[in-house]
Amino acid sequence: VKLWNGEENKGSSWSCEHGMGRWHRDCGCRPPTAPGWTQDWRGPLRDAFDALRDRVREVARRELGGLVWDADDALRAYIDILLAPGAATRRRFLDRHAQRRLDIDEVEKLWRILEAQHNAMLMYTSCGWFFDEISGLEPVQNLRYALRPSELSRPFADGVLACGFLSALGQIAPIDNDYADGLEICRQLSLLDTRAKPALPPHWPALPHL
């Protein structure tokens, strides 16, 4: 068996004959929809996500440098906590990766950065790219994921993450005339209202001094 590596050597996929086209351009793969509808928003949204991902990664590597021995190793090992959340798993993580005994503020900073990276992966969730309208349920969920890294990284990034991403959303034109652009989708659907959101996911109980 020889696997096709897709257009531009970006890889093949189970649901797009163009390889990875469905996730970064209007390749023509879509369910039956109204005549004239396109997915021109795919490319700009993918570019916005990629730029946000790179900036979040820069923040992570910079801020993790004084907390863990190896930032990339810690980021990969975070999957253990996601699969088995709880105090014991987090303590094992800290025992293995922390450079020293971290105080409570440093521990919260560590979880913030790692959870920001987690959401920067979730924003690429496959179903968000399958349908025609960026204001649909699935793309909007990806937008929620994308806004979360900016929120979590805000103490370390001076708001630059959110500003760049929101500016990029302002250049994306939805098909639905109820929204002027991608940024208007976030405003009307209250995606930008973070007052009710906890700083960390609900499975993170308050940690004692470690």
Side-chain angles (χ1 to χ4, degrees):
V1 174
K2 184 176 181 180
L3 296 179
W4 179 53
N5 202 30
E7 294 179 344
E8 303 177 21
N9 290 322
K10 291 185 177 181
S12 58
S13 68
W14 63 268
S15 63
C16 178
E17 64 176 311
H18 308 97
M20 298 301 292
R22 195 163 199 157
W23 291 270
H24 71 93
R25 68 181 181 85
D26 183 16
C27 68
C29 290
R30 65 174 58 85
T33 52
W37 281 30
T38 71
Q39 290 172 321
D40 290 336
W41 53 268
R42 278 177 178 169
L45 184 64
R46 179 61 185 250
D47 290 343
F49 281 178
D50 287 351
L52 177 64
R53 175 204 62 201
D54 291 345
R55 290 194 292 268
V56 171
R57 187 175 297 165
E58 290 172 5
V59 171
R61 288 178 172 160
R62 182 185 71 237
E63 299 297 328
L64 289 177
L67 302 176
V68 298
W69 294 111
D70 186 298
D72 289 335
D73 190 33
L75 290 169
R76 287 189 292 268
Y78 187 57
I79 186 62
D80 295 333
I81 296 179
L82 297 176
L83 294 175
T89 310
R90 288 182 280 121
R91 289 183 184 279
R92 285 195 297 270
F93 183 96
L94 292 172
D95 288 343
R96 175 184 172 188
H97 296 283
Q99 293 180 7
R100 50 186 166 74
R101 184 184 178 91
L102 303 181
D103 63 34
I104 187 65
D105 292 334
E106 290 173 321
V107 170
E108 179 171 348
K109 177 180 179 179
L110 175 62
W111 300 145
R112 273 181 170 271
I113 293 170
L114 294 173
E115 186 64 15
Q117 287 287 302
H118 176 212
N119 279 269
M121 296 175 67
L122 292 175
M123 68 186 180
Y124 291 103
T125 298
S126 182
C127 59
W129 309 87
F130 271 47
F131 305 103
D132 273 320
E133 177 49 40
I134 188 177
S135 63
L137 174 67
E138 297 83 0
V140 165
Q141 182 59 48
N142 284 10
L143 289 173
R144 290 181 187 276
Y145 288 136
L147 291 167
R148 187 66 167 142
S150 297
E151 179 188 359
L152 290 167
S153 302
R154 188 178 301 141
F156 327 115
D158 299 325
V160 174
L161 292 176
C163 290
F165 180 64
L166 295 178
S167 176
L169 291 183
Q171 307 304 311
I172 299 176
I175 297 172
D176 190 337
N177 292 328
D178 288 342
Y179 306 101
D181 50 43
L183 182 56
E184 183 63 23
I185 292 172
C186 294
R187 286 177 176 150
Q188 287 199 35
L189 299 182
S190 301
L191 305 189
L192 302 179
D193 185 359
T194 61
R195 290 172 295 179
K197 291 183 181 179
L200 295 171
H203 60 263
W204 295 116
L207 283 174
H209 182 83
L210 297 175

